[in-house]
Amino acid sequence: MGGHHAASGAAAWVAVTSTTPIAFGWYPVSEVGVMTGALVCAGAALLPDADHHNGTIAHSLPPVSEGVTKLVATVSGGHRNGTHSLLGIAVFTAIAWVMGLVSVRTEAFGDVLVGPGIMAVLLVAFAVRALKLTGQRRWWTWTLSLSLAAAVAVFAPEEWYWMPFCVGLGCAVHILGDMLTTRGVPLLWPLKFRSPTWVRRYRWMPFDDVWRDGGNISLPVLGDAGSWREWLVMTPVSAYALLGVGWAALDQMGFDTAAVWESATAWTLATSESLLGV
């Protein structure tokens, strides 16, 4: 589901880039980077579904988005083919890297990274649509996307260095999410290895669930897309993304979140010891 893909992208970005105690900080960025990147990565987590003529992306920035999805579907072989593979991740990441080279020299602001700004407009629009932040009001989607991308491109252009990584991470999270559903994904597209005859004929478990008839790979712990299991997993994931973005916002505004965390941790530890009689 589009909203869940977007939420998982935002959560993954927070986990990987934030340096707060609730994250890993493997690819640290600034607080501004955590906040803006979470929204951009949420949009990037929808990119593999750019092959779907009726998906979230197709309805994000009409008529531009509708034309893009038709083109992508034609090139990638239809829904859940090329864009849902390792090659798809590489292509989307390469596009982000190339766009990162497009800049314009200005007297007032120096080099303005136009390419990443354009990508941000599209990705933020995808995320806003999927997360239903602007309802059905298209002009709100355009306004919010353009404003955020323009503000960062002009006032903090150095933030865009993480764009290729952000796009690659979002795409990878999407494909992982789809792999956890019953349909699976064609990881090695354009190569497709059909499951052996003995698997298809006798429905050997667990091979039949993991190696689909058409060659897709699946670990269907979430069941069908939109199932109660998906909601059960994605609710805390979404909450984590909101917490991470909120934490970054408080840090950016100058709040001493580290002291609050230390106090909360000490209180929790003391309470636990008291209850256990230690």
Side-chain angles (χ1 to χ4, degrees):
M1 297 178 67
H4 289 167
H5 280 308
S8 65
W13 181 255
V14 169
V16 172
T17 63
S18 176
T19 55
T20 59
I22 63 170
F24 299 111
W26 293 331
Y27 187 86
V29 300
S30 68
E31 283 78 16
V32 172
V34 172
M35 292 184 288
T36 57
L39 199 52
V40 173
C41 197
L46 296 165
L47 278 177
D49 277 347
D51 58 6
H52 198 305
H53 71 282
N54 198 33
T56 301
I57 287 181
H59 300 302
S60 296
L61 291 174
V64 176
S65 55
E66 294 167 345
V68 170
T69 54
K70 290 179 181 178
L71 175 62
V72 173
T74 301
V75 173
S76 65
H79 185 47
R80 282 215 189 189
N81 279 293
T83 60
H84 287 71
S85 67
L86 297 176
L87 179 60
I89 296 175
V91 170
F92 282 125
T93 304
I95 291 173
W97 178 78
V98 171
M99 291 293 286
L101 303 177
V102 181
S103 63
V104 173
R105 184 72 179 178
T106 65
E107 291 292 334
F109 302 103
D111 289 329
V112 176
L113 297 178
V114 176
I118 293 173
M119 285 209 69
V121 170
L122 295 175
L123 296 178
V124 170
F126 299 160
V128 165
R129 178 77 181 194
L131 297 172
K132 296 180 173 58
L133 298 181
T134 57
Q136 299 298 319
R137 297 181 292 275
R138 297 179 180 179
W139 67 275
W140 261 113
T141 302
W142 277 103
T143 301
L144 179 59
S145 304
L146 287 168
S147 299
L148 177 63
V152 176
V154 172
F155 298 109
E158 69 281 354
E159 289 294 338
W160 290 141
Y161 75 88
W162 42 253
M163 181 66 78
F165 175 74
C166 185
V167 169
L169 178 63
C171 291
V173 169
H174 178 113
I175 292 173
L176 176 61
D178 279 353
M179 189 187 301
L180 297 179
T181 62
T182 51
R183 288 185 60 189
V185 294
L187 274 182
L188 300 179
W189 188 93
L191 301 177
K192 278 198 174 184
F193 302 96
R194 290 193 69 192
S195 56
T197 303
W198 58 270
V199 171
R200 299 196 304 274
R201 179 178 300 171
Y202 300 109
R203 300 296 179 183
W204 282 48
M205 296 290 288
F207 301 106
D208 184 49
D209 282 343
V210 173
W211 198 345
R212 310 302 296 175
D213 290 356
N216 284 11
I217 302 299
S218 172
L219 297 172
V221 296
L222 298 182
D224 295 332
S227 68
W228 66 268
R229 282 181 282 179
E230 180 180 327
W231 280 94
L232 183 65
V233 170
M234 289 309 305
T235 298
V237 168
S238 302
Y240 173 80
L242 287 173
L243 176 61
V245 171
W247 196 313
L250 292 174
D251 280 341
Q252 181 65 22
M253 290 186 289
F255 287 91
D256 191 358
T257 55
V260 174
W261 174 261
E262 290 176 1
S263 298
T265 303
W267 179 84
T268 302
L269 181 60
T271 302
S272 300
E273 291 177 347
S274 175
L275 291 174
L276 293 173
V278 177

